[in-house]
Amino acid sequence: MLEIDQDNMAVIDIGGVRREVSLDIMDEPVAVGDFVLCHAGFAIRKVDEVDAEERLALLREILEA
Amino acid sequence: MKLIDEYRDNELLVRLRERIHRQARGIGRGVTLMEVCGTHTYAIGRYGIRRILPENVRLISGPGCPVCVTSASDVGRALDMAGKKGVIFTTFGDMLKVPGPGGESLQKLRAKGADVRVVGSTIEAMRIATDNPGSEVVFMGIGFETTTPTVASMIKTCARLGVKNMSLYSVHKLVPPAIEALLADSELKVDGFLCPGHVSAIIGTRPYEMIPRKKKAAVIAGFEPVDILEGVSMILEQIITGEFTVENQYGRAVKPHGNTKAVELMEEVFMPAPSQWRGLGVIPESGLVLRPEYSSFDAIERFDVPYREYEQEEGCMCGHILRGVASPEECPLFKTSCTPHDPVGPCMVSREGTCAAHYRFS
Ligand code: SF4
Protein backbone atom coordinates (compact mmCIF):
# COMPACT_ATOMS: atom_id res chain seq x y z
CA MET A 1 0.00 0.00 0.00
CA LEU A 2 1.55 3.28 -1.15
CA GLU A 3 -0.95 6.06 -0.41
CA ILE A 4 -4.35 6.62 1.16
CA ASP A 5 -6.55 9.63 0.29
CA GLN A 6 -9.55 11.30 1.99
CA ASP A 7 -12.08 9.43 -0.14
CA ASN A 8 -10.97 6.16 1.44
CA MET A 9 -9.20 5.18 -1.76
CA ALA A 10 -5.69 3.77 -1.69
CA VAL A 11 -2.94 3.29 -4.23
CA ILE A 12 -1.31 -0.10 -4.10
CA ASP A 13 1.65 -1.64 -5.85
CA ILE A 14 1.17 -5.08 -7.37
CA GLY A 15 4.53 -6.32 -8.56
CA GLY A 16 5.48 -2.87 -9.86
CA VAL A 17 2.03 -1.93 -11.23
CA ARG A 18 0.14 0.85 -9.46
CA ARG A 19 -3.58 0.29 -8.90
CA GLU A 20 -6.29 2.25 -7.16
CA VAL A 21 -8.46 0.35 -4.70
CA SER A 22 -11.28 1.29 -2.36
CA LEU A 23 -10.98 0.72 1.39
CA ASP A 24 -14.76 0.92 1.89
CA ILE A 25 -15.28 -2.68 2.92
CA MET A 26 -12.24 -3.04 5.20
CA ASP A 27 -13.05 -3.80 8.84
CA GLU A 28 -9.59 -3.10 10.22
CA PRO A 29 -7.25 -0.12 10.15
CA VAL A 30 -4.66 -0.10 7.37
CA ALA A 31 -1.59 2.02 6.86
CA VAL A 32 0.90 2.78 4.14
CA GLY A 33 3.33 -0.13 3.93
CA ASP A 34 0.76 -2.81 4.81
CA PHE A 35 0.13 -5.76 2.51
CA VAL A 36 -3.51 -6.10 1.53
CA LEU A 37 -5.56 -8.72 -0.27
CA CYS A 38 -7.53 -7.11 -3.12
CA HIS A 39 -10.47 -8.19 -5.24
CA ALA A 40 -12.34 -6.35 -8.00
CA GLY A 41 -11.06 -2.90 -7.06
CA PHE A 42 -11.47 -3.28 -3.32
CA ALA A 43 -9.07 -4.15 -0.53
CA ILE A 44 -10.73 -6.98 1.37
CA ARG A 45 -8.25 -7.87 4.14
CA LYS A 46 -4.89 -6.94 5.52
CA VAL A 47 -2.31 -9.70 5.19
CA ASP A 48 -1.10 -10.73 8.64
CA GLU A 49 2.67 -10.88 8.20
CA VAL A 50 3.30 -12.21 11.70
CA ASP A 51 0.90 -15.09 11.14
CA ALA A 52 2.54 -15.75 7.77
CA GLU A 53 6.00 -16.03 9.30
CA GLU A 54 4.89 -18.18 12.21
CA ARG A 55 3.05 -20.61 9.97
CA LEU A 56 5.95 -20.97 7.59
CA ALA A 57 8.33 -21.61 10.49
CA LEU A 58 5.94 -24.23 11.85
CA LEU A 59 5.62 -25.86 8.45
CA ARG A 60 9.41 -26.04 8.07
CA GLU A 61 9.61 -27.65 11.50
CA ILE A 62 6.99 -30.28 10.65
CA LEU A 63 8.76 -31.09 7.40
CA GLU A 64 12.14 -31.41 9.14
CA ALA A 65 10.80 -33.96 11.56
CA MET B 1 8.32 -10.44 -3.96
CA LYS B 2 7.60 -10.64 -0.27
CA LEU B 3 4.77 -12.96 0.78
CA ILE B 4 4.95 -14.69 -2.59
CA ASP B 5 8.47 -16.04 -3.03
CA GLU B 6 8.33 -17.92 0.27
CA TYR B 7 5.29 -19.76 -1.01
CA ARG B 8 7.03 -20.88 -4.19
CA ASP B 9 10.19 -22.06 -2.45
CA ASN B 10 11.41 -25.16 -4.22
CA GLU B 11 12.92 -26.94 -1.26
CA LEU B 12 9.75 -26.51 0.74
CA LEU B 13 7.70 -27.81 -2.17
CA VAL B 14 9.86 -30.91 -2.57
CA ARG B 15 9.49 -31.72 1.11
CA LEU B 16 5.77 -31.13 1.08
CA ARG B 17 5.48 -33.43 -1.87
CA GLU B 18 7.44 -36.14 -0.06
CA ARG B 19 5.18 -35.78 2.94
CA ILE B 20 2.05 -36.02 0.78
CA HIS B 21 3.36 -39.17 -0.91
CA ARG B 22 4.13 -40.70 2.49
CA GLN B 23 0.66 -39.85 3.76
CA ALA B 24 -0.97 -41.25 0.63
CA ARG B 25 0.92 -44.53 0.96
CA GLY B 26 -0.30 -44.74 4.54
CA ILE B 27 -3.90 -44.24 3.45
CA GLY B 28 -3.57 -46.87 0.75
CA ARG B 29 -6.99 -46.48 -0.88
CA GLY B 30 -7.87 -43.79 -3.42
CA VAL B 31 -9.05 -40.44 -2.06
CA THR B 32 -10.81 -37.60 -3.83
CA LEU B 33 -10.44 -33.98 -2.81
CA MET B 34 -12.52 -31.15 -4.21
CA GLU B 35 -11.79 -27.46 -4.49
CA VAL B 36 -14.68 -25.07 -4.94
CA CYS B 37 -12.95 -21.91 -6.05
CA GLY B 38 -12.07 -20.71 -9.54
CA THR B 39 -8.80 -19.23 -8.34
CA HIS B 40 -7.81 -22.65 -7.01
CA THR B 41 -8.81 -24.28 -10.32
CA TYR B 42 -6.54 -21.92 -12.19
CA ALA B 43 -3.63 -22.11 -9.73
CA ILE B 44 -3.74 -25.93 -9.60
CA GLY B 45 -3.51 -26.01 -13.40
CA ARG B 46 -0.88 -23.33 -13.65
CA TYR B 47 1.49 -24.89 -11.12
CA GLY B 48 0.90 -28.42 -12.36
CA ILE B 49 -0.19 -29.56 -8.90
CA ARG B 50 -2.05 -32.63 -10.19
CA ARG B 51 1.09 -34.00 -11.81
CA ILE B 52 3.02 -34.06 -8.54
CA LEU B 53 0.29 -35.66 -6.43
CA PRO B 54 0.36 -39.41 -5.77
CA GLU B 55 -1.76 -41.58 -8.03
CA ASN B 56 -4.28 -42.36 -5.34
CA VAL B 57 -4.98 -38.69 -4.58
CA ARG B 58 -7.43 -37.19 -7.04
CA LEU B 59 -8.04 -33.45 -6.98
CA ILE B 60 -11.22 -32.31 -8.69
CA SER B 61 -12.92 -28.96 -9.24
CA GLY B 62 -16.43 -28.18 -8.11
CA PRO B 63 -18.79 -25.27 -8.70
CA GLY B 64 -16.28 -22.50 -7.95
CA CYS B 65 -16.24 -20.47 -11.13
CA PRO B 66 -18.90 -17.74 -11.00
CA VAL B 67 -19.70 -17.51 -14.71
CA CYS B 68 -19.73 -21.30 -15.01
CA VAL B 69 -22.47 -21.76 -12.44
CA THR B 70 -24.65 -19.01 -13.92
CA SER B 71 -27.63 -20.68 -15.57
CA ALA B 72 -28.53 -20.31 -19.24
CA SER B 73 -31.80 -18.70 -18.14
CA ASP B 74 -29.94 -16.01 -16.21
CA VAL B 75 -27.70 -15.33 -19.21
CA GLY B 76 -30.87 -15.08 -21.32
CA ARG B 77 -32.26 -12.46 -18.98
CA ALA B 78 -29.01 -10.48 -19.16
CA LEU B 79 -29.28 -10.51 -22.95
CA ASP B 80 -32.87 -9.25 -22.75
CA MET B 81 -31.77 -6.32 -20.58
CA ALA B 82 -28.67 -5.48 -22.58
CA GLY B 83 -30.77 -5.41 -25.75
CA LYS B 84 -33.07 -2.65 -24.44
CA LYS B 85 -32.79 0.81 -25.94
CA GLY B 86 -30.98 3.39 -23.84
CA VAL B 87 -29.33 0.77 -21.63
CA ILE B 88 -25.62 0.61 -20.93
CA PHE B 89 -25.02 -2.92 -19.68
CA THR B 90 -21.93 -3.37 -17.51
CA THR B 91 -20.41 -6.49 -16.00
CA PHE B 92 -17.10 -8.25 -15.33
CA GLY B 93 -15.17 -9.42 -18.39
CA ASP B 94 -15.69 -13.16 -18.08
CA MET B 95 -19.42 -12.82 -18.55
CA LEU B 96 -19.23 -11.47 -22.10
CA LYS B 97 -18.42 -14.68 -23.93
CA VAL B 98 -20.74 -16.95 -21.96
CA PRO B 99 -23.09 -18.59 -24.41
CA GLY B 100 -26.74 -18.09 -23.60
CA PRO B 101 -29.85 -19.30 -25.35
CA GLY B 102 -29.24 -20.12 -29.02
CA GLY B 103 -25.50 -19.50 -28.71
CA GLU B 104 -26.11 -15.77 -28.27
CA SER B 105 -23.75 -13.93 -25.90
CA LEU B 106 -23.26 -10.40 -24.58
CA GLN B 107 -20.24 -10.13 -26.84
CA LYS B 108 -22.24 -11.01 -29.95
CA LEU B 109 -24.99 -8.65 -28.87
CA ARG B 110 -22.40 -5.90 -28.54
CA ALA B 111 -21.15 -6.58 -32.05
CA LYS B 112 -24.73 -6.00 -33.20
CA GLY B 113 -24.73 -2.56 -31.58
CA ALA B 114 -25.80 -3.04 -27.96
CA ASP B 115 -23.88 -0.92 -25.44
CA VAL B 116 -22.18 -3.59 -23.35
CA ARG B 117 -19.15 -2.55 -21.31
CA VAL B 118 -16.65 -4.51 -19.28
CA VAL B 119 -15.72 -3.05 -15.91
CA GLY B 120 -13.02 -4.07 -13.46
CA SER B 121 -14.94 -2.91 -10.41
CA THR B 122 -18.30 -1.57 -9.26
CA ILE B 123 -16.63 1.81 -8.85
CA GLU B 124 -16.11 1.92 -12.61
CA ALA B 125 -19.74 0.94 -13.23
CA MET B 126 -20.90 3.77 -11.00
CA ARG B 127 -18.64 6.20 -12.80
CA ILE B 128 -20.28 5.22 -16.09
CA ALA B 129 -23.66 5.97 -14.53
CA THR B 130 -22.66 9.43 -13.29
CA ASP B 131 -20.95 10.21 -16.62
CA ASN B 132 -24.07 9.21 -18.60
CA PRO B 133 -27.04 10.70 -16.76
CA GLY B 134 -29.25 10.25 -19.83
CA SER B 135 -28.76 6.48 -19.95
CA GLU B 136 -29.87 3.62 -17.76
CA VAL B 137 -26.80 1.77 -16.50
CA VAL B 138 -27.28 -1.84 -15.44
CA PHE B 139 -24.57 -3.70 -13.56
CA MET B 140 -24.79 -7.47 -13.70
CA GLY B 141 -23.52 -8.61 -10.32
CA ILE B 142 -21.96 -12.03 -10.48
CA GLY B 143 -19.73 -13.83 -8.03
CA PHE B 144 -19.51 -15.21 -4.55
CA GLU B 145 -18.98 -13.70 -1.11
CA THR B 146 -15.70 -12.06 -2.13
CA THR B 147 -17.37 -9.93 -4.78
CA THR B 148 -20.81 -9.32 -3.29
CA PRO B 149 -19.71 -6.85 -0.57
CA THR B 150 -18.19 -4.62 -3.28
CA VAL B 151 -21.59 -4.62 -5.01
CA ALA B 152 -23.39 -3.94 -1.72
CA SER B 153 -21.05 -1.01 -1.26
CA MET B 154 -22.00 0.29 -4.72
CA ILE B 155 -25.73 0.09 -3.95
CA LYS B 156 -25.29 1.95 -0.67
CA THR B 157 -23.22 4.65 -2.35
CA CYS B 158 -25.83 5.03 -5.13
CA ALA B 159 -28.55 5.39 -2.49
CA ARG B 160 -26.52 7.94 -0.55
CA LEU B 161 -25.56 10.04 -3.57
CA GLY B 162 -28.92 9.67 -5.28
CA VAL B 163 -27.60 7.97 -8.41
CA LYS B 164 -30.95 7.10 -9.96
CA ASN B 165 -29.91 5.77 -13.37
CA MET B 166 -28.03 2.81 -11.91
CA SER B 167 -29.53 -0.60 -11.27
CA LEU B 168 -28.35 -4.08 -10.39
CA TYR B 169 -29.08 -7.44 -11.94
CA SER B 170 -27.94 -9.80 -9.20
CA VAL B 171 -27.00 -13.38 -9.95
CA HIS B 172 -24.80 -13.49 -6.86
CA LYS B 173 -24.42 -16.82 -5.16
CA LEU B 174 -23.30 -18.17 -1.80
CA VAL B 175 -20.68 -20.91 -1.44
CA PRO B 176 -21.77 -22.80 1.74
CA PRO B 177 -25.24 -23.78 0.42
CA ALA B 178 -23.60 -25.21 -2.71
CA ILE B 179 -21.22 -27.30 -0.60
CA GLU B 180 -24.23 -28.46 1.36
CA ALA B 181 -25.95 -29.51 -1.88
CA LEU B 182 -22.81 -31.40 -2.93
CA LEU B 183 -22.66 -33.16 0.43
CA ALA B 184 -26.22 -34.36 -0.12
CA ASP B 185 -25.38 -35.71 -3.61
CA SER B 186 -24.98 -39.47 -3.31
CA GLU B 187 -23.27 -39.69 -6.71
CA LEU B 188 -20.38 -37.59 -5.51
CA LYS B 189 -17.63 -39.35 -3.59
CA VAL B 190 -15.44 -36.73 -1.97
CA ASP B 191 -13.23 -37.27 1.07
CA GLY B 192 -12.34 -33.67 1.71
CA PHE B 193 -12.76 -30.08 0.59
CA LEU B 194 -10.10 -27.49 -0.11
CA CYS B 195 -12.13 -24.44 0.92
CA PRO B 196 -11.76 -21.11 -0.88
CA GLY B 197 -9.28 -18.60 0.55
CA HIS B 198 -10.77 -15.34 -0.67
CA VAL B 199 -14.38 -16.22 0.09
CA SER B 200 -13.26 -17.25 3.58
CA ALA B 201 -11.40 -13.95 4.05
CA ILE B 202 -14.93 -12.49 4.06
CA ILE B 203 -17.09 -15.20 5.70
CA GLY B 204 -14.53 -16.68 8.08
CA THR B 205 -14.18 -20.31 9.08
CA ARG B 206 -17.50 -21.13 10.74
CA PRO B 207 -19.76 -21.59 7.67
CA TYR B 208 -17.89 -24.80 6.76
CA GLU B 209 -18.71 -26.68 9.94
CA MET B 210 -21.27 -28.89 8.17
CA ILE B 211 -18.39 -30.56 6.28
CA PRO B 212 -16.70 -32.26 9.27
CA ARG B 213 -20.16 -33.16 10.58
CA LYS B 214 -20.45 -35.30 7.43
CA LYS B 215 -17.11 -36.91 8.32
CA LYS B 216 -15.20 -35.13 5.59
CA ALA B 217 -12.09 -33.00 5.83
CA ALA B 218 -12.22 -29.22 5.38
CA VAL B 219 -9.14 -27.05 4.97
CA ILE B 220 -9.19 -23.39 3.92
CA ALA B 221 -6.14 -22.75 1.77
CA GLY B 222 -4.36 -19.95 -0.08
CA PHE B 223 -3.38 -19.91 -3.73
CA GLU B 224 0.38 -20.26 -3.93
CA PRO B 225 1.92 -23.71 -4.55
CA VAL B 226 3.02 -24.11 -0.92
CA ASP B 227 -0.46 -23.12 0.23
CA ILE B 228 -2.17 -25.68 -1.96
CA LEU B 229 0.21 -28.54 -1.14
CA GLU B 230 0.10 -27.75 2.57
CA GLY B 231 -3.71 -27.70 2.31
CA VAL B 232 -3.71 -31.10 0.61
CA SER B 233 -1.37 -32.49 3.24
CA MET B 234 -3.61 -31.18 6.04
CA ILE B 235 -6.65 -32.84 4.43
CA LEU B 236 -4.78 -36.16 4.17
CA GLU B 237 -3.80 -35.89 7.83
CA GLN B 238 -7.46 -35.48 8.80
CA ILE B 239 -8.31 -38.56 6.74
CA ILE B 240 -5.52 -40.54 8.42
CA THR B 241 -6.48 -39.59 11.96
CA GLY B 242 -10.23 -39.64 11.31
CA GLU B 243 -10.52 -36.37 13.24
CA PHE B 244 -12.45 -34.07 10.95
CA THR B 245 -12.54 -30.33 11.63
CA VAL B 246 -12.35 -27.04 9.75
CA GLU B 247 -8.68 -26.13 9.56
CA ASN B 248 -7.26 -22.89 8.29
CA GLN B 249 -4.04 -23.00 6.29
CA TYR B 250 -4.52 -19.39 5.09
CA GLY B 251 -4.38 -17.68 8.47
CA ARG B 252 -2.49 -14.74 7.04
CA ALA B 253 -5.68 -13.62 5.28
CA VAL B 254 -8.49 -15.59 6.91
CA LYS B 255 -9.58 -14.92 10.47
CA PRO B 256 -12.25 -17.05 12.19
CA HIS B 257 -14.79 -14.21 12.05
CA GLY B 258 -13.86 -13.13 8.50
CA ASN B 259 -14.40 -9.51 7.51
CA THR B 260 -17.32 -8.44 9.71
CA LYS B 261 -17.90 -5.13 7.96
CA ALA B 262 -18.14 -6.80 4.56
CA VAL B 263 -20.56 -9.42 5.90
CA GLU B 264 -22.73 -6.74 7.53
CA LEU B 265 -22.80 -4.72 4.33
CA MET B 266 -23.85 -7.77 2.38
CA GLU B 267 -26.61 -8.61 4.88
CA GLU B 268 -27.85 -5.04 4.99
CA VAL B 269 -28.32 -4.82 1.22
CA PHE B 270 -29.09 -8.39 0.21
CA MET B 271 -31.19 -11.28 1.43
CA PRO B 272 -30.94 -14.96 0.52
CA ALA B 273 -33.24 -16.42 -2.12
CA PRO B 274 -33.40 -19.65 -4.08
CA SER B 275 -30.98 -19.67 -6.98
CA GLN B 276 -30.55 -21.77 -10.09
CA TRP B 277 -27.03 -23.19 -10.46
CA ARG B 278 -25.83 -24.72 -13.66
CA GLY B 279 -25.39 -28.41 -12.96
CA LEU B 280 -26.71 -28.29 -9.42
CA GLY B 281 -30.24 -27.05 -10.12
CA VAL B 282 -32.13 -24.78 -7.75
CA ILE B 283 -30.53 -24.58 -4.30
CA PRO B 284 -32.60 -22.95 -1.54
CA GLU B 285 -31.16 -19.81 0.09
CA SER B 286 -28.10 -19.92 -2.17
CA GLY B 287 -28.65 -16.73 -4.13
CA LEU B 288 -28.86 -13.09 -3.12
CA VAL B 289 -31.52 -10.54 -4.04
CA LEU B 290 -31.87 -6.92 -2.95
CA ARG B 291 -33.78 -6.28 0.26
CA PRO B 292 -37.08 -4.36 -0.10
CA GLU B 293 -35.39 -1.13 1.09
CA TYR B 294 -33.13 -1.28 -1.95
CA SER B 295 -35.52 -2.82 -4.46
CA SER B 296 -35.69 0.46 -6.40
CA PHE B 297 -32.24 -0.52 -7.65
CA ASP B 298 -33.41 -3.91 -8.87
CA ALA B 299 -32.93 -4.11 -12.64
CA ILE B 300 -35.44 -6.95 -12.95
CA GLU B 301 -38.19 -4.74 -11.52
CA ARG B 302 -37.06 -1.66 -13.38
CA PHE B 303 -37.07 -3.30 -16.80
CA ASP B 304 -39.67 -5.96 -16.12
CA VAL B 305 -37.75 -8.75 -17.85
CA PRO B 306 -39.57 -12.04 -17.39
CA TYR B 307 -37.79 -15.23 -16.43
CA ARG B 308 -37.67 -17.87 -19.14
CA GLU B 309 -36.46 -21.43 -18.88
CA TYR B 310 -33.60 -22.32 -21.19
CA GLU B 311 -31.83 -25.62 -21.56
CA GLN B 312 -28.07 -25.83 -21.33
CA GLU B 313 -26.05 -26.08 -24.53
CA GLU B 314 -26.51 -29.35 -26.35
CA GLY B 315 -23.76 -31.89 -25.75
CA CYS B 316 -22.03 -29.72 -23.13
CA MET B 317 -21.17 -31.59 -19.94
CA CYS B 318 -20.51 -28.50 -17.80
CA GLY B 319 -23.30 -29.46 -15.44
CA HIS B 320 -21.68 -32.80 -14.64
CA ILE B 321 -18.23 -31.25 -14.39
CA LEU B 322 -19.43 -28.61 -11.92
CA ARG B 323 -20.83 -31.39 -9.72
CA GLY B 324 -17.50 -33.17 -9.82
CA VAL B 325 -18.88 -36.32 -11.46
CA ALA B 326 -17.20 -35.88 -14.87
CA SER B 327 -13.92 -34.45 -16.09
CA PRO B 328 -13.48 -32.24 -19.17
CA GLU B 329 -11.66 -35.03 -20.99
CA GLU B 330 -14.87 -37.07 -20.89
CA CYS B 331 -16.73 -34.43 -22.90
CA PRO B 332 -16.76 -35.29 -26.63
CA LEU B 333 -16.64 -31.60 -27.52
CA PHE B 334 -13.53 -30.89 -25.40
CA LYS B 335 -10.71 -29.59 -27.62
CA THR B 336 -12.73 -30.48 -30.73
CA SER B 337 -15.60 -28.08 -31.22
CA CYS B 338 -15.15 -26.44 -27.81
CA THR B 339 -12.04 -24.31 -27.22
CA PRO B 340 -11.37 -21.11 -25.24
CA HIS B 341 -11.48 -19.28 -28.56
CA ASP B 342 -14.89 -20.61 -29.46
CA PRO B 343 -16.47 -21.97 -26.28
CA VAL B 344 -19.60 -24.08 -26.38
CA GLY B 345 -20.20 -24.02 -22.63
CA PRO B 346 -19.32 -21.61 -19.83
CA CYS B 347 -16.68 -23.91 -18.27
CA MET B 348 -14.51 -23.16 -21.28
CA VAL B 349 -15.03 -19.39 -21.13
CA SER B 350 -13.48 -18.13 -17.94
CA ARG B 351 -9.83 -18.86 -17.22
CA GLU B 352 -11.18 -20.14 -13.92
CA GLY B 353 -13.42 -22.66 -15.66
CA THR B 354 -12.46 -26.30 -15.27
CA CYS B 355 -12.48 -26.99 -19.03
CA ALA B 356 -10.41 -23.89 -19.78
CA ALA B 357 -7.84 -24.80 -17.11
CA HIS B 358 -7.57 -28.37 -18.44
CA TYR B 359 -7.30 -27.08 -22.00
CA ARG B 360 -4.57 -24.65 -21.14
CA PHE B 361 -2.42 -26.68 -18.80
CA SER B 362 -2.72 -30.34 -19.78
S1 SF4 C 1 -15.51 -28.93 -23.05
FE1 SF4 C 1 -16.95 -27.31 -23.64
S2 SF4 C 1 -18.80 -28.38 -24.19
FE2 SF4 C 1 -17.55 -29.82 -23.02
S3 SF4 C 1 -18.22 -29.55 -20.91
FE3 SF4 C 1 -16.50 -28.17 -21.21
S4 SF4 C 1 -17.47 -26.24 -21.77
FE4 SF4 C 1 -19.03 -27.81 -22.05
Side-chain angles (χ1 to χ4, degrees):
Chain A
M1 179 114 60
L2 303 172
E3 297 162 23
I4 300 175
D5 75 6
Q6 318 91 305
D7 288 336
N8 218 19
M9 294 294 287
V11 178
I12 55 163
D13 170 286
I14 312 172
V17 184
R18 289 165 78 93
R19 279 261 175 78
E20 221 194 357
V21 295
S22 165
L23 302 179
D24 277 354
I25 64 169
M26 288 291 279
D27 71 343
E28 56 194 336
V30 273
V32 169
D34 283 346
F35 286 83
V36 283
L37 193 67
C38 293
H39 180 78
F42 284 74
I44 60 171
R45 263 229 90 86
K46 195 156 90 178
V47 180
D48 184 341
E49 292 173 60
V50 177
D51 184 284
E53 262 163 45
E54 285 174 3
R55 262 215 86 87
L56 274 172
L58 188 71
L59 177 63
R60 287 208 174 88
E61 225 171 89
I62 293 172
L63 293 175
E64 291 292 330
Chain B
M1 222 171 17
K2 194 174 169 206
L3 286 165
I4 293 196
D5 295 342
E6 307 89 299
Y7 296 96
R8 295 183 185 173
D9 179 70
N10 220 7
E11 203 197 308
L12 208 51
L13 289 169
V14 169
R15 295 202 164 182
L16 266 170
R17 178 185 160 180
E18 281 167 9
R19 179 177 157 89
I20 288 171
H21 278 257
R22 239 184 355 257
Q23 289 173 310
R25 274 196 302 275
I27 296 173
R29 68 181 172 96
V31 290
T32 301
L33 321 181
M34 180 186 256
E35 49 82 5
V36 282
C37 167
T39 314
H40 273 146
T41 308
Y42 179 79
I44 286 163
R46 174 174 170 200
Y47 301 120
I49 302 282
R50 272 191 201 92
R51 280 194 290 276
I52 61 175
L53 291 181
E55 245 173 57
N56 62 330
V57 177
R58 202 162 70 100
L59 186 53
I60 60 173
S61 303
C65 149
V67 305
C68 305
V69 295
T70 302
S71 72
S73 301
D74 285 341
V75 178
R77 220 175 194 177
L79 293 166
D80 288 345
M81 281 181 207
K84 294 227 181 232
K85 244 183 103 167
V87 163
I88 302 177
F89 194 88
T90 62
T91 190
F92 296 131
D94 274 354
M95 202 56 224
L96 255 65
K97 274 195 189 168
V98 177
E104 189 65 288
S105 68
L106 286 166
Q107 196 176 36
K108 289 185 185 161
L109 203 64
R110 181 171 69 180
K112 288 182 202 151
D115 195 342
V116 177
R117 302 187 195 180
V118 172
V119 292
S121 71
T122 53
I123 298 169
E124 272 177 52
M126 219 160 53
R127 216 169 276 154
I128 294 175
T130 46
D131 287 350
N132 297 276
S135 300
E136 275 293 334
V137 177
V138 179
F139 176 73
M140 180 177 187
I142 163 167
F144 302 113
E145 289 88 334
T146 328
T147 317
T148 318
T150 75
V151 179
S153 165
M154 173 189 87
I155 293 295
K156 282 200 71 176
T157 311
C158 284
R160 183 162 48 86
L161 302 179
V163 183
K164 296 235 155 51
N165 61 329
M166 178 100 224
S167 58
L168 170 72
Y169 173 37
S170 166
V171 296
H172 286 293
K173 291 182 170 49
L174 300 165
V175 170
I179 297 182
E180 214 139 351
L182 288 169
L183 287 171
D185 183 347
S186 57
E187 239 186 283
L188 180 79
K189 306 264 178 293
V190 167
D191 300 280
F193 286 88
L194 199 64
C195 300
H198 293 157
V199 164
S200 310
I202 304 290
I203 66 175
T205 60
R206 274 187 296 266
Y208 303 106
E209 269 156 17
M210 73 287 190
I211 301 175
R213 273 203 295 273
K214 289 268 184 174
K215 300 248 169 293
K216 295 182 192 302
V219 175
I220 298 163
F223 302 98
E224 293 298 330
V226 166
D227 290 323
I228 296 170
L229 286 188
E230 189 184 2
V232 167
S233 175
M234 288 163 77
I235 293 178
L236 296 181
E237 199 58 31
Q238 287 194 20
I239 295 172
I240 292 168
T241 60
E243 285 168 27
F244 298 109
T245 61
V246 180
E247 280 188 285
N248 183 7
Q249 182 278 334
Y250 200 33
R252 63 188 188 278
V254 176
K255 300 297 164 201
H257 54 273
N259 176 336
T260 41
K261 184 171 171 189
V263 170
E264 277 165 24
L265 251 173
M266 204 154 51
E267 286 173 355
E268 190 189 330
V269 173
F270 291 103
M271 58 187 188
S275 177
Q276 168 97 37
W277 294 59
R278 192 182 289 261
L280 304 179
V282 176
I283 305 177
E285 308 274 285
S286 70
L288 290 171
V289 295
L290 288 167
R291 285 192 181 276
E293 304 89 282
Y294 293 99
S295 62
S296 61
F297 291 102
D298 192 337
I300 295 175
E301 286 189 20
R302 197 174 289 190
F303 300 103
D304 191 24
V305 219
Y307 183 83
R308 279 180 282 175
E309 280 290 339
Y310 292 110
E311 289 301 312
Q312 89 169 29
E313 298 67 27
E314 210 166 314
C316 170
M317 291 178 67
C318 263
H320 289 80
I321 291 169
L322 292 165
R323 280 165 58 214
V325 294
S327 72
E329 288 75 13
E330 290 168 54
C331 173
L333 308 184
F334 181 67
K335 284 189 177 175
T336 53
S337 57
C338 183
T339 63
H341 207 75
D342 194 10
V344 174
C347 301
M348 191 57 100
V349 173
S350 164
R351 70 167 205 172
E352 298 191 340
T354 309
C355 298
H358 279 241
Y359 183 94
R360 192 154 163 192
F361 300 111
S362 63

